[in-house]
Structure formats: C-alpha cells, structure tokens
C-alpha cells in the first residue's frame, strides 16, 4: 500500500475578538501567492512580512511598544544589546570617521569602540561627559557620532543630555544607551538624542529569562537605512524572545519603582558602612551627578556601584553574599553583584579602568525587588567578614 504523501495546508484563522496577549508568530518564513508582494517585503521594513530576519509580527509589536515608550518614530529589535549597538554603529560609520564617547561606558561598548579603531580606522576621542565645552573641543570635520549613556555602567555618572546633545552639529548622530534608566526614568529623544539603544535583557525584559536589544530612532530615514544593514548583519531576535520581552514590559513601571525604592535604602546604608569607601548612586547628594540627575531624570536608577578597599576585598565580598547572587547581568527581579574589573570590564587595562572610574575594589550592585531589610542583612554580613 502506498503511503499518503499529502500535506495538510494550515492557515491562521480570522479573529472576531482581540487577544489580550500579543500572539506569538513562531515562524521563520511567510507564504505568498503574489511574487511582487514578497519582493517588496524584502526591500523595505514596512512591507509584507516575508522572512523573520527581515521582520516578524511579534517582533514588530515589541518594536512599536518600545518606540512608543521612548517617543521615537520606529524601533529595531535585535538579538542582544550589543547587537543593537553594533547595528547602529556599523551602519553609520566607515573608515576615517570620528566618534566622541564618554569614558564611563559598558565594557562591551568600549571593546567595540577599540575594535573599530584598530580594525576600521575609526578615531575615538573619550570625554568625561560633564562639560559641553569638552564636546565642542573634541569635534572634528569627520565627527559622525556622539555616544553617551544616560546612567553610566557602573559608576552612576549621569550625562547632561540636554547640554551635551546641543553641543554638536545636526549632522552628528547622538546615540544614547538608556539601559540603566529605562524609559520610565528618561527618554533621551526628548533631550536631543537621535538613537536610543537598550539591552532588553535588563529592565525591559526584567525577569532574567530572555536576551535581546533594541534601537529606537527619532528619524524614519535613519531607521530605514539601519534596518537595511541589520538585515545583512543578521542581528534579528527570535519571535519568542520578543514575546517574552513584551510580557516584561507589562510590569516595567511597577518593577522599576520597587527596584529604585530598594536601591535608595541600600545605597544610604552602604554609604554609612566603615568598609565602604564611596557609593556611586546618583540619588545621593554626594554623587557628582546628583544635581544633573535631579534636573532631568525621573528617578536615579537601581544599578550602581560602590568601592571597597582593594581587589581582594572586592572578590571576597562577591563570594561572601548568600541571598544576593553573583551573576553577570542586571535589571531582573533578583539582586545581583558583580566585580567589574574581573568581568564586565575585563577587556580594559589599568589605565582604561581608571579613566572609567573603576578600581579593583569596585562592586556593581543590581538591586532587585526583594525585601530591603533582608537584602541589607546579607550585604552587611558579607561586608563584616
């Protein structure tokens, strides 16, 4: 008897009601009856969905949501935060161009800028990020990008976005990493940014179960040109990752406020502990960025750092906590610690670490939403050892 080789053709049923949860389109490709429509979808981001590397309905829902939160015209979701940063910089820089960047940045970003210098011939000038005159002095005829972080990883430095963005000509692309602040605390496009990037792995996803990134654009033409490059770069997220991130967005406001409430308690208690030399949380009036943060942020964030005596003290502390966990991420519901010099900023030499404000005794703390007193008891016992 011959086997039946017929294949059932499936289709998506039409809905007469609206699902409360965004549907998950876990598909790599979309079928067409019209060749022209297929070709059109491969050539522009607002065409028909053809192949998930070019676009996907679930991914688009995430992009639209984050663009709305940030006040942008469009967004480009990626498989990681570094995917978003790479997509933006590689699409908008070429050999011989010049970048101005603050020196207190995420270690992966600093490593990428160094790679662009060494392999692409892109010149990079590093600034403190405090003074717009410093930005003006760094400008060159070939300056194409000003790169900043709203709240710097891990020093808590807050860039004066309104002043710094106003210091560059209109043809210089201002890119701001808003991961530490989230759109709840700052929307950099309102302050002159052209592109905002996030690691959605952090606060936007918020549950330590998804990896992703997103770039939000103030200008539609810049979004389209970056989308074309991203298609070839292959930084597209998986639809399920996008779906998980959308789920995280639903509780963003609740989580961010609780994160910050706990951070305020811990930062103030850490500042009074004799083993702690300095706390880098911009909510403290002793922090150099406190006045700037108070002026235009809607909060001070909940990932910050503090300094212990030396490398040995730092390493003992991160292995001495019990409720708090040692892990290389942030923004989830649980509280995490990290030793940046050994991990997130391991690519930097001693001179670069010093320029970034990181010492061997620097500890990064991502404050979660647990009970603040329980967290403090754990931190205190590790400090008292």
């Amino acid at each position: 008897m011959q086997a039946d080789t017929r294949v059932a053709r499936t289709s998506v049923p039409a809905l007469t009601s609206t699902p409360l949860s965004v549907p998950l389109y876990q598909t790599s490709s979309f079928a067409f009856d019209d060749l022209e429509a297929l070709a059109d979808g491969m050539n522009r981001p607002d065409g028909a969905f053809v192949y998930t590397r070019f676009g996907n309905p679930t991914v688009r829902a995430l992009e639209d949501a984050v663009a709305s939160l940030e006040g942008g015209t469009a967004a480009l979701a990626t498989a990681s935060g570094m995917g978003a940063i790479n997509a933006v910089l590689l699409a908008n820089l070429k050999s011989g161009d010049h970048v101005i960047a603050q020196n207190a940045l995420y270690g992966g970003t600093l490593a990428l800028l160094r790679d662009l210098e060494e392999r692409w011939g892109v010149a990079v000038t590093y600034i403190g990020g405090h003074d717009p005159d410093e930005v003006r002095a760094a400008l060159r005829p070939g300056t194409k990008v000003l790169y900043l972080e709203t709240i710097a990883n891990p020093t808590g430095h807050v860039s004066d976005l309104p002043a710094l963005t106003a210091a560059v000509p209109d043809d210089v692309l201002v890119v701001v990493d808003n991961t530490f602040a989230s759109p709840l605390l700052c929307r950099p496009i309102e302050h002159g940014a052209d592109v905002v990037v996030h690691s959605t792995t952090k606060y936007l996803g918020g549950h330590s179960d998804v990896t992703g990134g997103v770039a939000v654009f103030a200008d539609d033409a810049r979004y389209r040109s970056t989308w074309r490059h991203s298609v070839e770069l292959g930084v597209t997220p998986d639809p399920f990752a996008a779906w998980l991130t959308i789920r995280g967005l639903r509780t963003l406001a609740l989580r961010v406020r609780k994160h910050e409430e706990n951070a305020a308690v811990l930062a103030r208690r850490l500042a009074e502990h004799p083993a702690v030399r300095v706390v880098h949380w911009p909510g403290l009036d002793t922090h150099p960025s406190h006045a700037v943060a108070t002026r235009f942020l809607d909060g001070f964030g909940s990932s910050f750092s503090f300094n212990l005596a030396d490398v040995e003290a730092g390493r003992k502390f991160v292995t001495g906590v019990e409720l708090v966990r040692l892990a290389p991420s942030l923004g989830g519901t649980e509280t995490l610690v990290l030793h940046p010099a050994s991990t997130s900023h391991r690519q930097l030499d001693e001179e670069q670490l010093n320029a970034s404000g990181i010492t061997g005794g620097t500890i990064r703390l991502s404050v979660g939403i647990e009970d603040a007193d329980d967290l403090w008891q754990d931190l205190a016992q590790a400090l008292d050892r």
Side-chain angles (χ1 to χ4, degrees), residues 322-338:
E322 297 172 356
L323 173 62
V324 177
R325 305 302 299 272
L326 171 61
S329 192
L330 58 97
T333 57
E334 63 285 307
T335 299
L336 305 176
V337 291
L338 199 67

Side-chain angles (χ1 to χ4, degrees), residues 77-292:
T78 60
S80 69
M82 284 305 301
I85 295 169
N86 271 275
V88 170
L89 293 185
L90 295 181
N92 292 282
L93 289 171
K94 64 180 184 307
S95 180
D97 285 345
H98 175 238
V99 174
I100 302 173
Q102 71 182 62
N103 49 29
L105 294 173
Y106 169 56
T109 306
L110 290 170
L112 172 60
L113 291 173
R114 183 173 60 192
D115 192 53
L116 290 174
E117 281 191 286
E118 294 175 353
R119 298 178 60 232
W120 283 42
V122 173
V124 183
T125 300
Y126 292 95
I127 60 170
H130 304 278
D131 186 356
D133 287 336
E134 189 180 18
V135 176
R136 296 186 188 99
L139 287 169
R140 302 180 188 176
T143 302
K144 299 299 181 183
V145 171
L146 171 64
Y147 193 98
L148 306 167
E149 288 183 356
T150 311
I151 303 175
N153 180 0
T155 62
H157 164 75
V158 178
S159 297
D160 191 344
L161 296 182
L164 298 180
T165 58
V168 299
D170 290 341
D171 62 349
V172 173
L173 188 71
V174 179
V175 182
V176 179
D177 186 334
N178 199 35
T179 298
F180 267 42
S182 87
L184 267 293
L185 307 185
C186 183
R187 293 152 301 283
I189 289 174
E190 295 177 1
H191 304 292
D194 299 300
V195 184
V196 177
V197 295
H198 283 272
S199 169
T200 59
T201 311
K202 313 305 192 295
Y203 291 102
L204 299 188
H207 293 81
S208 302
D209 57 6
V210 61
T211 301
V214 68
V216 182
F217 298 81
D219 176 71
D220 189 64
R222 184 78 66 175
Y223 157 68
R224 288 172 178 271
S225 64
T226 305
W227 172 82
R228 286 192 293 270
H229 180 82
S230 72
V231 167
E232 305 307 326
L233 193 60
V235 294
T236 312
D238 178 79
F240 185 54
W243 187 88
L244 286 172
T245 307
I246 293 169
R247 183 206 57 182
L249 289 178
R250 292 184 170 208
T251 59
L252 178 65
L254 296 173
R255 288 184 288 103
V256 166
R257 297 307 177 193
K258 181 59 177 176
H259 283 301
E260 187 174 8
E261 178 185 317
N262 281 352
V265 172
L266 298 184
R268 294 187 174 107
R269 292 181 184 179
L270 284 166
E272 296 175 353
H273 196 283
V276 177
R277 297 193 167 186
V278 62
V279 177
H280 304 288
W281 184 59
L284 297 175
D285 58 14
T286 54
H287 192 281
S289 295
H290 180 70
V292 173

Side-chain angles (χ1 to χ4, degrees), residues 62-78:
L62 170 62
E63 293 168 337
D64 290 347
V66 181
S68 175
L69 288 172
E70 285 285 2
T73 62
L76 176 68
T78 60

